Amino acid sequence: MSLDHVQPAGRPATGNARGESDGSAQASYLALLARDASVEAYEQPLLLARAEGQPAERIAALEQAKLLALRVRSELEGRRRREAELSALFETAHDLAGLRDADAVLQAIVQRARSLLGTDIAYLSLHDPARGDTYMRVTEGSVAARFQQLRLGMGEGLGGLVAQTARPYVTDDYFKDSRFQHTLAIDAGVRDEGLVAILGVPLMLGPHVIGVLFAADRRARVFEREQIALLGSFAALAATAIDTANLLTETRAAVAGLERANEIIRDRSSVIERASEVHDRLAELVLRGGGVHDVAAAVSQVLDGTVEFTETGTTPAAALKTSSTEGHAVPHGDDWIAAVAAGGELLGALALRGHPDLDPVDQRTLERAAMVTSLLLLARRSATEAEQRVRGELLDDLLDAHAHDRDPRLLRERAARLHADLDATHVVLAARLDGPAADAEEEADARRRLWSAASHLAATRQGLAAARDGGTVLLLPLGTGDSATGLARRTARDLGTAVHQPVTVGASAPVTDLAAHPDTVAAAYTEGRRCLDALHLLGRGGDGAAAEDFGFLGLLLAGERDIGGFVECTIGTVVAYDERRGTELLRTLDAYFACAMSPARTKDALHVHVNTVAQRLERVGRLLGGDWQTPSRALEIQLALRLHWLATPQRH
């Protein structure tokens, strides 16, 4: 017999078996504890033992070991939870020690409270002394906008009860709890968020409640004492954070006040120096020909702010009128407005942005700058009017056949001084305001605005402009790839935008070599006037067009009858096809119209088969387009055919 099967003296065999069974059971559950298994895993050894049919003693030992292991597991989980809670409280206290941003600390408190309590949402409300209620300061996990914007009166809702009694309150089912006052607004917000169980604890500063910290779930739940105590600890830290932030704000405000006082002392000592600097800068700007924006930039540097020149239409009307009447800069919100005026005429304003507090010396500086700006604007206006007169005089000389100084060399020199090139291709445009005026004064003012806008447009496009025949005439260069029609339409649009009124523009055909042939300008102007009149007759006021836009009517409108151009534009493709291939499409087309557009009669006139006529007309359609037989196109084609045969030495 083997010694392994000999019982030791004095120990019963059953006791040994039970000890081995207990040790084996404990070992199984120690392994589960070691790997932090789930609660469900602790049932596996029992289920396995029963499945294997092990003795009752073995199953009882496993049952006892399971209970002990679960108790140990629960204790370990509690310790880990307390360790996490202490760690979170320590981290929050550490945040408070280095407080820089109170909002960030409060956000961290709410986030940690939600995480440690395992709730769906956590939020913090603060008391608003001005309105006598509480408002949401921080939320974490919230998805409903109405809930995030809730305000709770004292005693309203669970939070109002906590704030009123300075004690924690918890409800397992908010809507079934009658211990606190329900309101429609609060209940609607809670319903939007889907909350059921809510725990609220007060934020205390001494005996005063300054807010409430909440943790809530979207399902029924019972909050334990430890969880209420933990949320209370976070609430205490939040109250400390708020108190610290308030003290820090007060300290910063006091320091800022002292700094402002020191700055005032320093500013007063440099007032005279700044005034002298402004005087020198403005004088230098005027002497070297500076502009309005140069003045604004210089004053911006001196006043350490942003100074802008604004037009009368974009300046606050009341402030502008007050400044003009009183002759001083006036405040407008956080800005200061100084009217720029000359002889009772408002030219605009200088606006100092973002300086609500302006001392008298700086105010005087802004006023002096406005005066210099008005002088510069008057000088610029005089120069502009002089240039406009010069441009108008040159164009008048080109239009007037009896004008002196029409020598080509002199004309080129005069144009070059205005940055215009008379050797380039140009278009003459006749412009007129569309729509009646209320009276003669309004009409004269509208014409002045049109002339001013046309002069500005001509200057920016290296052209010329002049007032003529109750409207305006422009001579503008034609760019490569551009057309007279496109230029006329753009000019009508630009002038209409500038004068805030529809402007109709008629354009001539492109003209060239104007210095050598100045009479061309007058003929082109006549053509542009005809197009302008045609647009009005056709009810196309506010539009732009050239003679080429009117089909065969363009022949009547054009100053020089461009018959060849009309024929080429209308039937040029058919003419070229006949010349290239030796076909008789033109002859067929002429016979087709002569026979009242009847293919049967056309084939008799040409002595060909009707299919031949059909094939030729089909080819014509491909060359001229599918709409060639419409009344308007047919009329133009017949006129072009007649002009073509008249210009052809021998009719085919």
Side-chain angles (χ1 to χ4, degrees):
M1 178 182 295
S2 170
L3 294 175
D4 293 338
H5 299 282
V6 177
Q7 295 285 346
R11 176 180 294 179
T14 57
N16 184 35
R18 185 180 298 112
E20 291 177 357
S21 176
D22 292 345
S24 175
Q26 292 172 1
S28 299
Y29 285 104
L30 285 174
L32 292 174
L33 287 170
R35 61 186 176 89
D36 197 18
S38 64
V39 175
E40 291 78 7
Y42 286 77
E43 297 292 339
Q44 294 301 321
L46 272 170
L47 295 174
L48 184 60
R50 291 191 179 100
E52 293 176 351
Q54 293 188 16
E57 293 81 357
R58 169 66 176 172
I59 293 175
L62 286 172
E63 185 72 39
Q64 184 178 7
K66 183 193 78 169
L67 295 176
L68 290 173
L70 288 175
R71 189 182 307 163
V72 171
R73 183 181 184 279
S74 176
E75 184 65 26
L76 290 174
E77 282 187 348
R79 291 185 179 183
R80 280 197 297 268
R81 184 172 62 253
R82 285 191 292 275
E83 181 181 352
E85 293 170 356
L86 290 174
S87 176
L89 292 173
F90 175 78
E91 290 174 359
T92 304
H94 182 269
D95 291 342
L96 287 175
L99 179 64
R100 293 295 181 270
D101 185 354
D103 288 336
V105 174
L106 294 178
Q107 186 71 50
I109 289 173
V110 173
Q111 289 174 347
R112 289 165 185 159
R114 179 194 178 201
S115 175
L116 290 175
L117 270 67
T119 57
D120 295 323
I121 179 175
Y123 52 100
L124 185 148
S125 65
L126 292 181
H127 179 57
D128 185 349
R131 298 180 56 171
D133 61 4
T134 61
Y135 65 96
M136 294 289 187
R137 176 69 178 270
V138 181
T139 63
E140 179 67 22
S142 173
V143 296
R146 178 157 53 176
F147 179 79
Q148 296 166 12
Q149 298 168 3
L150 277 180
R151 300 188 73 96
L152 286 71
M154 296 300 290
E156 294 179 354
L158 178 65
L161 183 61
V162 173
Q164 189 177 43
T165 61
R167 294 175 54 191
Y169 271 87
V170 61
T171 177
D172 299 337
D173 191 331
Y174 176 85
F175 291 101
K176 294 181 180 179
D177 200 328
S178 60
R179 292 177 298 164
F180 46 84
Q181 179 184 351
H182 289 266
T183 67
L184 292 177
I186 298 174
D187 286 358
V190 174
R191 188 174 290 106
D192 284 356
E193 195 63 59
L195 300 182
V196 178
I198 304 176
L199 166 62
V201 295
L203 275 67
M204 305 292 296
L205 274 183
H208 303 291
V209 178
I210 63 170
V212 180
L213 179 60
F214 298 89
D217 258 342
R218 296 188 176 93
R219 62 187 184 281
R221 169 179 177 166
V222 176
F223 288 95
E224 300 174 357
R225 289 180 178 274
E226 294 81 1
Q227 294 173 326
I228 298 174
L230 176 61
L231 193 63
S233 299
F234 277 118
L237 290 174
T240 303
I242 294 170
D243 188 36
T244 304
N246 291 339
L247 292 175
L248 184 59
T249 300
E250 293 174 1
T251 303
R252 287 173 177 169
V255 172
L258 293 175
E259 290 177 350
R260 281 197 301 271
N262 193 27
E263 288 173 359
I264 291 173
I265 295 174
R266 287 199 305 267
D267 290 343
R268 294 299 180 186
S269 64
S270 61
V271 161
I272 297 177
E273 182 179 350
R274 291 207 315 274
S276 176
E277 180 185 358
V278 170
H279 178 78
D280 294 342
R281 286 195 180 191
L282 295 179
E284 180 185 359
L285 281 174
V286 173
L287 292 175
R288 65 181 175 86
V292 171
H293 296 292
D294 295 325
V295 173
V299 179
S300 295
Q301 294 179 1
V302 174
L303 298 182
D304 192 22
T306 300
V307 177
E308 299 174 344
F309 174 75
T310 59
E311 302 289 346
T312 54
T314 58
T315 307
L320 182 62
K321 182 178 180 180
T322 303
S323 176
S324 176
T325 303
E326 297 180 358
H328 297 292
V330 296
H332 179 73
D334 289 343
D335 304 336
W336 281 78
I337 305 297
V340 175
E345 179 184 2
L346 284 174
L347 305 176
L350 284 185
L352 174 61
R353 306 297 187 191
H355 270 252
D357 299 322
L358 196 66
D359 62 49
V361 175
D362 287 342
Q363 181 179 340
R364 181 59 183 159
T365 298
L366 186 62
E367 294 165 358
R368 187 180 292 111
M371 185 184 303
V372 173
T373 301
S374 66
L375 295 175
L376 291 176
L377 287 175
L378 288 176
R380 186 176 68 181
R381 175 189 290 180
S382 299
T384 300
E385 291 175 352
E387 181 181 342
Q388 291 174 349
R389 282 195 299 271
V390 172
R391 289 182 184 274
E393 289 170 358
L394 176 56
L395 185 53
D396 284 335
D397 288 344
L398 291 172
L399 291 168
D400 188 358
H402 304 290
H404 302 292
D405 298 330
R406 284 166 65 91
D407 179 81
R409 182 181 60 81
L410 295 177
L411 289 175
R412 288 190 182 94
E413 290 178 357
R414 291 172 62 187
R417 286 194 292 269
L418 299 171
H419 306 289
D421 181 10
L422 295 182
D423 293 325
T425 301
H426 286 74
V427 172
V428 178
L429 304 109
R432 188 186 303 159
L433 290 167
D434 189 61
D439 50 42
E441 182 178 353
E442 182 179 332
E443 182 178 1
D445 181 64
R447 288 181 179 180
R448 281 193 297 270
R449 287 189 284 110
L450 176 61
W451 176 75
S452 178
S455 299
H456 176 74
L457 184 65
T460 57
R461 296 187 182 179
Q462 299 180 337
L464 304 174
R468 204 172 188 88
D469 299 326
T472 303
V473 55
L474 298 94
L475 180 67
L476 298 181
L478 187 66
T480 304
D482 200 358
S483 66
T485 299
L487 183 59
R489 288 175 178 171
R490 287 197 305 276
T491 303
R493 183 181 63 248
D494 294 343
L495 292 178
T497 301
V499 301
H500 306 291
Q501 187 175 342
V503 176
T504 308
V505 176
S508 71
V511 292
T512 58
D513 201 12
L514 302 181
H517 304 91
D519 292 339
T520 308
V521 178
Y525 173 58
T526 301
E527 181 180 335
R529 283 284 307 279
R530 289 173 180 168
C531 289
L532 178 63
D533 293 339
L535 286 172
H536 279 290
L537 289 173
L538 295 173
R540 291 174 57 185
D543 197 0
E548 61 190 29
D549 299 317
F550 295 95
F552 76 90
L553 290 176
L555 294 175
L556 305 177
L557 298 174
E560 295 182 1
R561 309 293 189 244
D562 187 10
I563 295 175
F566 174 73
V567 172
E568 173 64 26
C569 179
T570 307
I571 60 172
T573 55
V574 180
V575 174
Y577 189 89
D578 275 356
E579 292 176 350
R580 187 169 61 253
R581 306 214 173 185
T583 55
E584 294 188 331
L585 297 184
L586 281 176
R587 183 165 168 263
T588 303
L589 193 57
D590 195 21
Y592 179 66
F593 283 120
C595 295
M597 302 174 72
S598 168
R601 293 170 59 187
T602 303
K603 63 100 175 173
D604 294 335
L606 296 176
H607 305 292
V608 296
H609 195 274
V610 69
N611 289 341
T612 302
V613 174
Q615 291 170 1
R616 291 178 181 179
L617 294 178
E618 182 181 358
R619 174 64 63 181
V620 168
R622 286 199 292 269
L623 293 173
L624 297 182
D627 63 340
W628 72 277
Q629 297 191 70
T630 59
S632 59
R633 284 292 307 278
L635 178 61
E636 291 185 358
I637 293 170
Q638 292 178 69
L639 179 59
L641 282 169
R642 182 65 55 88
L643 293 173
H644 173 72
W645 297 128
L646 290 174
T648 303
Q650 181 178 358
R651 179 168 177 170
H652 298 286

